[in-house]
Amino acid sequence: METGNQNLQKSSSFSFVPEREYSEGRQKLLSWLNQQMKVHLMDGRILVGTFVCTDKDAHIILSTCYEYFNEKDLETGEYRLLGLVMIPGRHIISIHTDVQQTNNQFKPLTNFEETL
Amino acid sequence: MEADCRSTSNQKTDTANIPNYNWKDVTPEFFASIKELELGELLHGYFFGLFEAMSAIEIMDPKMDAGMMCNRESKAIKLEDLKLNGLTVSEQISIIDVTLACIVSWLEGHSLAQTVFTNLYFQKPYDIEVVPLKAFCICVYKIIEAIRDFANRAQVYEEEDFQPALYNYHYFNEISDHRVIGMMREVDESINHILKSNPNSDENESYIALNTRIKFVRLFLQILLSFNRRENHSSSMGETQRLLTTCGLLIPSLIKTVDKGVPKVGNWYYDLGFDPLINQKLLPPTFPRYTNIKPAAEAYLYFDSLLTRLKQICKLTNCVTFISALECFIELGHNSHLCIVSRSVMQTLYFPLPNRVFGTQDFDDCLREWAKSFIAPPSLIPRLNILSNFQAKECVNNFFDHCTRPFAGLIQICGHNKARQRDKLAHLMEDFSALQDESQRVDAFLHTFSSKLDPPREHLASYSTWIIYHTIRIMIMYLLSGFELELYSPHEYQYIYWYLYQFLYGWLVSTLNRADNVLLGSDSPVDSQKNRNKRNKPKKKKTHPYTQEIVMCHAMQSLTGAYFKTLIGFQLEGKIRTPKHAKFDNERVRYEHRFAAFSAVAVPPPFSYNEFQMTRCQTRDSASGDPRMLYMNSCELFHQARCLLDSIPQPHSQQVLDLIKVCKTNFVTMKLLASGYMRGPDVSLDFDFTTNSYFPILKLS
């Protein structure tokens, strides 16, 4: 319980930190946040969803994620809605972002949080 | 699995709406960028945190990822290889057996996509050239439709009970139910014809087995349909019962002939045309549920018990008054294996249309009659003519109007599964609390009319007593359901039984007494007529209408009191451990949590933890801290409860018999304890709820 409270305080203090100098990599990751992302998996499946979170080991969390069993399904639009998913980095073959949207959208508010 | 093998429904209509993506490969950039993150650091947006992250499904985790289970190399035969003609009789028997087992699994809460629709024959039943199987498939569609219809109308299921989704599988609306039954009959006859034309064939036994199955499925559909056809109700219930009996008689021979199907070797399941993975894409976005289809014999036993339950439900149509119907619902509810079909059928039988009891009587009128027979409010006695006043009439009409929803809710709650019932009872208390308020105002208003009558009548505490009676019963149901759901730990039993003993049953007795007195004091219209006829005869002694219920309540009061005293004794001896966490898990917190729902109710008022502590101290002190005194006390109370239960007129219901058994056994145990046997630190204590789910038998070992 107590540790949870501490984390909460920590995160709230972090979110109000004025803009920090972010390294290039971080900035790139931040720019992809809330963008559509397409992830190819080792088993041939393709997942398309909104990129919301990642970490050092390339665990990727996609929200409102759709699952396609193969490339053909991607064309025909035969999907299964999965919702919020977490993809462990070791199963990822490739990652694509949607360029159109990246160009059009404004940068959303972001913050870093150090958990654990 | 080939694409054409999938249901045509899979083709989403919104294919055209796929946004045009302009994908750009960022794999190397991405993997380079994440290297800059710290170990354990999450990079995320403002509105997304670790908490949200916890609810994500983990891909490639076999327990969470349903898509992963779909290895595209299914063992099932391809659709074009599926035998559409020339199926042997034993193959047909097996297909029917497995499909019926699938229906049972569906009724136990699995999705249709993983059960019945794993049967490839269900993709296109019209293409099947074997008539019995074709008719069977269409009949099963109709059965599914009928059951879904019951469930959707009754609305007593939750996601954990039942998955109604049809996944756009074909409905066969173009074939009427009559036609399907006719088809099944034709199949029946043609098989009989085969049997007659070739009386000594080896295959005859198999043909008979197939025929029994066809008959069974047809009767089952007819049973379901007959519950809907109740325009001329008394007669058609007999029809339902006849069908139920006939159908039930088939089950032993069905179980006996399960081995007439194909031998269960190798890929028999797939070879018959079942593919558990065919609908993998239709599954909801939750973790995969593994659907183990029951063995056929077990499935038939399930059908057997389902038929028994439906037979019991037929009795409901005899319950004309609201209270008898409610008691019937509660009694059937004690059967903890009530399935979704029986629960839904019960609801739709009582309320085929919203607020129409058995489709014929207005629920409003039903409640009026119940209120009238409960406490005979002067405003409902036609002779007194109070309702001729426009305002009074309006007032009473409004009141009953407001009563219908909570009372109908009470009936509906009885249909839900036990865990949800408890939840919903807590909310219902709020509704009844609002009704209490209104009933008091209505009583006060109507009293101005009834007091002007000659002779003046008391209207106060008429409707309000009626409402309070139900409120208390709901509160008792709520507390007792916690035992059934095994929510309470042994150290909590004390205050639960205390609350029942000290307040709820006591209040229930006094409400019943009041109603009893009113009914006896004011001659009800029937009585007054009788009296007019027998004016000169000496007054016959009137029977107390609530005697039996009051005795029952007294018995429950003694019983709960006995548990309360026993448990204090056990606590004094240190046999029950209480939580000692300073902040989060102490007795007060638990107490307040358990009775939180009661704070919504005005009468009876909620009783605080301090009051409980006081009573407990007094009880301890009066026994001067000696557990043996307490055991002695509870021993007497158990005995008292038993005597009261014995005094209820025979024949005793199963519930009363069980309670007597509980009282007897506990009486002996308490007597032993009071005389000093079986005590000491090495004697362990056990609560055995198998006889009665609310009142345990105490076991020492």
Side-chain angles (χ1 to χ4, degrees):
Chain A
M1 255 314 176
E2 264 108 271
T3 49
N5 283 339
Q6 276 169 9
N7 270 348
L8 206 72
Q9 279 163 10
K10 206 171 178 183
S11 70
S12 54
S13 62
F14 261 92
S15 45
F16 294 107
V17 164
E19 278 205 22
R20 273 197 329 217
E21 280 301 311
Y22 295 135
S23 62
E24 195 192 338
R26 276 171 195 266
Q27 275 189 6
K28 232 178 227 163
L29 288 172
L30 284 172
S31 73
W32 289 327
L33 273 180
N34 298 313
Q35 304 303 316
Q36 285 298 303
M37 191 173 264
K38 181 173 81 162
V39 180
H40 286 249
L41 298 184
M42 306 274 260
D43 70 346
R45 274 184 291 166
I46 301 158
L47 301 176
V48 177
T50 315
F51 173 56
V52 287
C53 184
T54 190
D55 71 354
K56 190 178 170 65
D57 300 317
H59 290 91
I60 294 177
I61 300 183
L62 299 181
S63 79
T64 3
C65 176
Y66 293 92
E67 171 193 61
Y68 300 86
F69 278 170
N70 45 44
E71 286 283 353
K72 198 182 105 198
D73 282 355
L74 197 61
E75 283 154 28
T76 58
E78 202 175 307
Y79 60 77
R80 189 167 82 97
L81 179 61
L82 292 185
L84 191 67
V85 302
M86 195 276 283
I87 313 159
R90 61 183 183 283
H91 298 299
I92 295 172
I93 291 179
S94 71
I95 301 165
H96 291 72
T97 54
D98 188 15
V99 185
Q100 280 176 340
Q101 288 190 22
T102 322
N103 295 342
N104 297 341
Q105 278 186 7
F106 68 97
K107 271 193 180 178
L109 260 169
T110 52
N111 79 302
F112 285 111
E113 181 184 330
E114 278 164 49
T115 40
L116 303 170
Chain B
M1 186 52 49
E2 295 302 295
D4 60 354
C5 205
R6 282 178 214 123
S7 132
T8 44
S9 62
N10 286 357
Q11 309 305 328
K12 302 278 183 212
T13 46
D14 50 358
T15 313
N17 297 337
I18 302 174
N20 252 335
Y21 292 120
N22 191 0
W23 294 119
K24 178 185 169 222
D25 192 349
V26 292
T27 319
E29 290 176 67
F30 190 91
F31 279 97
S33 303
I34 53 160
K35 290 212 177 77
E36 293 178 18
L37 298 176
E38 307 282 332
L39 181 68
E41 177 189 354
L42 291 181
L43 180 131
H44 59 84
Y46 186 75
F47 295 108
F48 192 88
L50 185 62
F51 180 74
E52 284 80 10
M54 296 308 289
S55 62
I57 295 172
E58 188 173 334
I59 293 298
M60 300 302 279
D61 176 331
K63 281 202 174 140
M64 289 199 243
D65 185 3
M68 175 189 172
M69 303 315 293
C70 182
N71 43 1
R72 255 73 79 208
E73 287 161 33
S74 171
K75 278 181 275 178
I77 46 173
K78 301 237 162 76
L79 192 61
E80 56 265 29
D81 299 333
L82 198 63
K83 274 197 232 168
L84 295 176
N85 52 26
L87 281 156
T88 64
V89 180
S90 52
E91 276 172 336
Q92 293 182 51
I93 290 174
S94 284
I95 292 171
I96 291 176
D97 281 350
V98 177
T99 310
L100 290 178
C102 286
I103 293 183
V104 171
S105 306
W106 172 53
L107 294 179
E108 289 187 332
H110 291 283
S111 101
L112 274 174
Q114 280 181 307
T115 56
V116 183
F117 295 151
T118 57
N119 183 340
L120 300 182
Y121 288 101
F122 275 78
Q123 302 286 343
K124 288 172 180 170
Y126 283 148
D127 293 356
I128 307 170
E129 287 161 37
V130 183
V131 183
L133 192 60
K134 179 175 169 181
F136 167 77
C137 288
I138 295 172
C139 194
V140 168
Y141 266 110
K142 288 289 177 191
I143 287 175
I144 291 171
E145 192 191 324
I147 292 174
R148 281 182 73 241
D149 180 53
F150 280 123
N152 284 331
R153 272 165 48 210
Q155 283 299 321
V156 287
Y157 66 86
E158 302 283 343
E159 55 173 2
E160 68 269 22
D161 306 315
F162 183 62
Q163 305 283 325
L166 253 192
Y167 304 100
N168 288 335
Y169 266 79
H170 197 346
Y171 229 126
F172 299 98
N173 273 334
E174 67 274 19
I175 307 181
S176 72
D177 296 332
H178 281 288
R179 178 75 198 97
V180 176
I181 291 166
M183 268 164 63
M184 295 298 273
R185 281 221 170 89
E186 283 161 32
V187 172
D188 195 341
E189 276 161 29
S190 67
I191 295 176
N192 275 332
H193 190 72
I194 295 172
L195 283 170
K196 270 180 204 152
S197 64
N198 200 355
N200 297 318
S201 165
D202 304 337
E203 275 207 307
N204 272 6
E205 274 185 38
S206 301
Y207 270 116
I208 292 171
L210 178 63
N211 205 9
T212 320
R213 280 161 177 71
I214 296 289
K215 228 183 259 170
F216 171 77
V217 175
R218 169 175 60 86
L219 285 168
F220 190 64
L221 176 62
Q222 280 181 301
I223 288 166
L224 293 176
L225 296 176
S226 76
F227 274 106
N228 280 336
R229 235 180 289 119
R230 290 205 3 97
E231 292 86 44
N232 45 348
H233 45 108
S234 57
S235 59
S236 89
M237 219 59 228
E239 170 73 7
T240 310
Q241 267 165 334
R242 193 184 59 78
L243 288 168
L244 281 165
T245 315
T246 329
C247 193
L249 289 176
L250 295 177
I251 291 201
S253 64
L254 286 174
I255 294 174
K256 236 191 291 169
T257 51
V258 166
D259 58 351
K260 295 273 179 272
V262 295
K264 294 183 172 68
V265 285
N267 283 343
W268 68 280
Y269 192 75
Y270 295 93
D271 293 340
L272 282 175
F274 287 87
D275 182 1
L277 298 176
I278 183 174
N279 292 313
Q280 208 69 3
K281 283 193 183 172
L282 300 179
L283 297 185
T286 51
F287 54 89
R289 303 185 191 202
Y290 298 101
T291 310
N292 286 324
I293 307 294
K294 284 193 169 205
E298 270 176 47
Y300 285 127
L301 286 177
Y302 179 94
F303 276 112
D304 194 27
S305 59
L306 172 59
L307 295 175
T308 319
R309 286 193 291 268
L310 290 177
K311 250 183 238 171
Q312 288 170 338
I313 288 167
C314 289
K315 281 192 294 187
L316 182 66
T317 47
N318 301 329
C319 303
V320 187
T321 61
F322 172 80
I323 193 69
S324 60
L326 184 65
E327 300 289 2
C328 185
F329 271 101
I330 291 172
E331 192 196 319
L332 289 171
H334 281 307
N335 181 347
S336 50
H337 303 294
L338 229 46
C339 61
I340 179 68
V341 182
S342 27
R343 287 194 271 132
S344 305
V345 166
M346 246 158 93
Q347 293 290 326
T348 50
L349 197 60
Y350 192 68
F351 282 132
L353 301 164
N355 290 334
R356 297 287 291 177
V357 178
F358 299 125
T360 52
Q361 194 189 14
D362 230 9
F363 189 48
D364 198 298
D365 294 337
C366 185
L367 285 179
R368 272 169 204 254
E369 260 163 49
W370 163 225
K372 196 167 135 188
S373 64
F374 181 77
I375 198 166
S379 50
L380 289 184
I381 298 172
R383 189 170 48 88
L384 300 178
N385 216 8
I386 291 178
L387 293 189
S388 62
N389 179 291
F390 174 74
Q391 276 177 308
K393 192 176 175 183
E394 196 74 343
C395 177
V396 171
N397 283 353
N398 276 337
F399 173 65
F400 278 101
D401 211 33
H402 295 158
C403 280
T404 46
R405 204 182 51 86
F407 277 89
L410 187 54
I411 292 276
Q412 201 187 22
I413 282 174
C414 295
H416 279 278
N417 72 47
K418 295 279 170 186
R420 297 279 182 171
Q421 256 181 37
R422 188 177 158 85
D423 231 30
K424 288 172 197 286
L425 283 172
H427 288 293
L428 197 67
M429 275 181 233
E430 291 164 23
D431 291 344
F432 269 88
S433 164
L435 277 183
Q436 272 184 13
D437 259 16
E438 188 176 346
S439 65
Q440 276 160 7
R441 271 184 281 120
V442 170
D443 275 341
F445 178 70
L446 292 173
H447 188 64
T448 57
F449 293 93
S450 65
S451 55
K452 284 178 205 143
L453 289 168
D454 181 36
R457 287 297 196 91
E458 180 88 12
H459 204 299
L460 296 172
S462 295
Y463 290 127
S464 45
T465 308
W466 183 59
I467 296 292
I468 288 170
Y469 168 76
H470 290 102
T471 317
I472 298 172
R473 287 199 58 174
I474 292 168
M475 291 165 91
I476 293 175
M477 273 168 86
Y478 177 81
L479 279 191
L480 290 181
S481 69
F483 286 108
E484 219 169 350
L485 296 167
E486 297 174 34
L487 294 180
Y488 309 134
S489 37
H491 65 82
E492 290 178 288
Y493 293 167
Q494 277 183 46
Y495 38 85
I496 305 289
Y497 284 124
W498 169 75
Y499 213 100
L500 290 164
Y501 160 62
Q502 198 97 337
F503 306 113
L504 296 180
Y505 282 118
W507 277 77
L508 199 58
V509 169
S510 58
T511 8
L512 285 169
N513 271 331
R514 193 184 314 169
D516 205 86
N517 289 337
V518 171
L519 285 187
L520 280 180
S522 75
D523 24 355
S524 66
V526 187
D527 285 340
S528 66
Q529 267 174 357
K530 271 186 204 155
N531 289 346
R532 222 167 287 153
N533 298 340
K534 310 172 188 167
R535 188 156 283 173
N536 298 326
K537 289 176 190 170
K539 259 197 172 176
K540 199 176 79 185
K541 196 183 171 236
K542 289 178 197 166
T543 50
H544 290 262
Y546 295 108
T547 318
Q548 203 176 323
E549 202 173 344
I550 290 174
V551 170
M552 191 70 194
C553 288
H554 275 302
M556 298 316 253
Q557 209 178 358
S558 311
L559 187 58
T560 43
Y563 280 111
F564 171 58
K565 302 231 157 120
T566 312
L567 288 158
I568 293 183
F570 285 148
Q571 202 186 21
L572 275 178
E573 280 201 280
K575 286 210 191 301
I576 293 173
R577 283 174 54 191
T578 42
K580 287 280 187 307
H581 193 285
K583 232 175 166 181
F584 301 112
D585 193 20
N586 59 29
E587 205 177 46
R588 177 186 291 274
V589 171
R590 291 249 186 168
Y591 179 96
E592 279 160 9
H593 175 67
R594 290 303 177 207
F595 298 109
F598 289 177
S599 60
V601 181
V603 184
F607 294 94
S608 68
Y609 178 67
N610 291 341
E611 276 164 287
F612 165 64
Q613 265 189 322
M614 256 162 56
T615 331
R616 184 165 58 183
C617 286
Q618 280 168 4
T619 318
R620 269 184 206 154
D621 291 346
S622 66
S624 48
D626 182 8
R628 276 165 62 175
M629 283 286 283
L630 290 163
Y631 296 147
M632 206 60 221
N633 270 338
S634 72
C635 184
E636 280 158 22
L637 284 166
F638 276 122
H639 183 67
Q640 199 180 328
R642 194 203 144 174
C643 294
L644 285 165
L645 288 168
D646 274 334
S647 73
I648 291 172
Q650 307 271 0
H652 291 317
S653 66
Q654 188 56 44
Q655 199 201 353
V656 174
L657 289 174
D658 287 344
L659 283 173
I660 291 177
K661 187 184 165 195
V662 170
C663 291
K664 257 193 224 168
T665 325
N666 286 343
F667 169 75
V668 176
T669 317
M670 285 303 112
K671 201 153 198 182
L672 277 178
L673 282 172
S675 52
Y677 288 104
M678 293 299 275
R679 291 178 55 191
D682 50 335
V683 176
S684 71
L685 174 69
D686 199 26
F687 298 94
D688 177 12
F689 283 93
T690 46
T691 311
N692 185 299
S693 42
Y694 309 136
F695 302 106
I697 288 178
L698 305 164
K699 288 204 164 152
L700 301 164
S701 53

